[in-house]
Amino acid sequence: MTAAFSLRPFARVWFCYFAAMGAFTLYAPLWFREMGLSALAIGSIASLQSWTRVFAPYSWAWLADRSDRRADLMRLAGVLCVVFALALAVAGRWGVTAVSICVVLLFIANGAVIPLMEASLAHHLNLAAGGAGGRYGRARVWGSIGFMGAVLLFGALLHAIGIVAWPWLVLLLWGLLAVSLWHLPLTSEPVHHDAVPVGALAVLRRPEVAWFFVGIFFTVLAHVSLYAFFSLFAASFGMSESTIGLLWSVGVLVEIGFFWTQGHWFERLSMHNWLLLAAAVSALRFAAMAAFGHWMVVLVLTQMTHAVTFAAQHAACITLVSRYFPGPLRGRGQALYTTLGYGLSGVVGGVAGGALIERWGYPAVFWASSVAALLSALCLLRSRRHAEAAATAAP
């Protein structure tokens, strides 16, 4: 089997997963608003996804390590995504409590996809050793393509037939994900049951790793305002669903460009320096949105920074996590990245962001995001310094 062919199943899963996630994340707030929910309620429901990220990814990873049945667990997760997405579509008529329960169940199910996929692909490409960033980008780029395609298609469809069709359209994408997971030939590594938990905690206690995760927490916290509230922010200026979709597509296009060309120049900066650059650009991005977000040209330009604030940041994170958590620790490391980076930050950002909007309006949440990005830069600087000290002290 050639390297190009072996990456195709991974690319298909990325495509389907991020198509479903894009359609959900960007347009679910509009569906919730159609139900008559307030910004605070919408932010609270959006945070439910992040609540599941606090425990679901690590639980799936632990279960996979203990059972040695990663492929079966991925298939089960895909089927459950379809079941709970169908329940969500029906629950819309029963109110916010039923919708909230379905959202929780849906994201507990898909919490298996990212950590097990990233761990498998990282093992396949041996990212910890370096030099495979370009191949990772060529596989991961299909997630961005799927995200953009779903955003554009859903924007046009929902503008034409109405937001009420959203849950049924997104159900189709979860179905495609389930099919792609069923055909994924996961690779696995030898599992050492006794060593994994202790080893993972020992790695997490290292100063460079601990500060890395704190920095990622603040970077992702800054981006919660984007994922949870950008569509509503743009809609507050009278923009249509199709226009909002086009704005999102700008960010995804530059993201695709980064992943596709990653192998040519990604190694020119260290991974820590990429993270610092992403944090600094994020601070500027959200400050510009807060101050000048009513200008379309500003929204377009800030969306173009997504190549650095997300794509470069994510690629650097995956490389460092693979480096910090090698071998049998890889699945746990990816789960910790999802939990500590995306779980806790989403919980705080969704609820606090909704409260800020209720009190002071949409610009306030983007000013808060700019501050969070600056805090991230400070934490990541500490991580880099500890990493440099550890490298100097090593024999």
Side-chain angles (χ1 to χ4, degrees):
M1 180 183 293
T2 65
F5 178 79
S6 66
L7 294 179
R8 290 176 186 172
F10 294 95
R12 285 194 293 267
V13 172
W14 285 132
F15 181 91
C16 296
Y17 178 84
F18 282 100
M21 288 299 296
F24 189 97
T25 304
L26 274 59
Y27 296 112
L30 302 179
W31 188 61
F32 297 148
R33 186 185 63 178
E34 184 72 13
M35 295 173 57
L37 303 184
S38 67
L40 179 57
I42 293 172
S44 298
I45 293 177
S47 74
L48 293 175
Q49 174 184 345
S50 300
W51 277 107
T52 67
R53 294 296 185 258
V54 173
F55 64 90
Y58 201 84
S59 299
W60 282 105
W62 179 88
L63 186 59
D65 284 343
R66 293 294 176 179
S67 66
D68 291 342
R69 301 186 66 176
R70 289 181 173 86
D72 291 336
L73 288 173
M74 294 285 278
R75 292 169 179 174
L76 173 62
V79 171
L80 290 177
C81 284
V82 175
V83 172
F84 296 137
L86 176 60
L88 176 63
V90 176
R93 70 189 70 176
W94 295 331
V96 64
T97 301
V99 167
S100 299
I101 292 172
C102 292
V103 169
V104 168
L105 294 174
L106 175 61
F107 284 101
I108 287 176
N110 78 18
V113 178
I114 291 296
L116 298 185
M117 265 287 296
E118 290 283 16
S120 180
L121 186 56
H123 167 65
H124 190 79
L125 298 177
N126 194 20
L127 289 181
R135 295 176 65 203
Y136 173 83
R138 289 297 177 95
R140 178 58 179 77
V141 71
W142 287 100
S144 303
I145 294 172
F147 187 97
M148 185 184 68
V151 166
L152 291 175
L153 179 61
F154 269 58
L157 285 175
L158 295 176
H159 181 69
I161 63 180
I163 195 67
V164 293
W166 170 82
W168 301 102
L169 293 174
V170 80
L171 174 61
L172 297 176
L173 296 180
W174 293 117
L176 290 175
L177 174 64
V179 172
S180 67
L181 287 171
W182 197 266
H183 293 92
L184 181 65
L186 284 178
T187 56
S188 60
E189 298 171 90
V191 178
H192 305 287
H193 298 294
D194 296 332
V196 170
V198 176
L201 293 177
V203 172
L204 191 58
R205 286 194 294 266
R206 286 161 47 187
E208 68 271 27
V209 179
W211 281 110
F212 162 76
F213 278 117
V214 176
I216 298 310
F217 168 84
F218 282 113
T219 298
V220 179
L221 178 63
H223 283 73
V224 171
S225 62
L226 183 73
Y227 300 124
F229 302 112
F230 179 76
S231 294
L232 296 173
F233 179 55
S236 71
F237 299 121
M239 298 181 188
S240 67
E241 288 87 350
S242 57
T243 301
I244 294 171
L246 287 172
L247 280 172
W248 278 106
S249 71
V250 172
V252 182
L253 278 173
V254 296
E255 176 185 319
I256 290 172
F258 176 89
F259 282 132
W260 195 258
T261 61
Q262 178 182 333
H264 296 294
W265 41 273
F266 191 54
E267 300 298 328
R268 296 181 185 180
L269 291 179
S270 71
M271 298 302 104
H272 282 95
N273 284 340
W274 274 116
L275 294 178
L276 285 168
L277 177 62
V281 175
S282 295
L284 294 174
R285 175 184 190 175
F286 295 119
M289 291 176 64
F292 308 108
H294 56 288
W295 292 353
M296 176 63 75
V297 65
V298 172
L299 293 183
V300 171
L301 290 174
T302 54
Q303 286 295 91
M304 292 179 68
T305 66
H306 206 61
V308 174
T309 68
F310 168 71
Q313 188 264 358
H314 176 71
C317 284
I318 294 300
T319 302
L320 283 177
V321 169
S322 294
R323 190 175 299 167
Y324 291 146
F325 298 90
L329 297 176
R330 204 183 305 275
R332 301 293 182 89
Q334 295 297 338
L336 285 172
Y337 170 57
T338 302
T339 297
L340 300 178
Y342 285 83
L344 297 175
S345 58
V347 170
V348 174
V351 176
L356 285 173
I357 292 170
E358 289 282 303
R359 183 70 180 271
W360 290 294
Y362 288 104
V365 75
F366 292 108
W367 282 121
S369 293
S370 183
V371 173
L374 291 174
L375 292 174
S376 172
L378 294 176
C379 296
L380 293 168
L381 184 60
R382 293 289 299 272
S383 176
R384 187 183 70 176
R385 289 173 177 172
H386 283 291
E388 291 172 346
T392 301

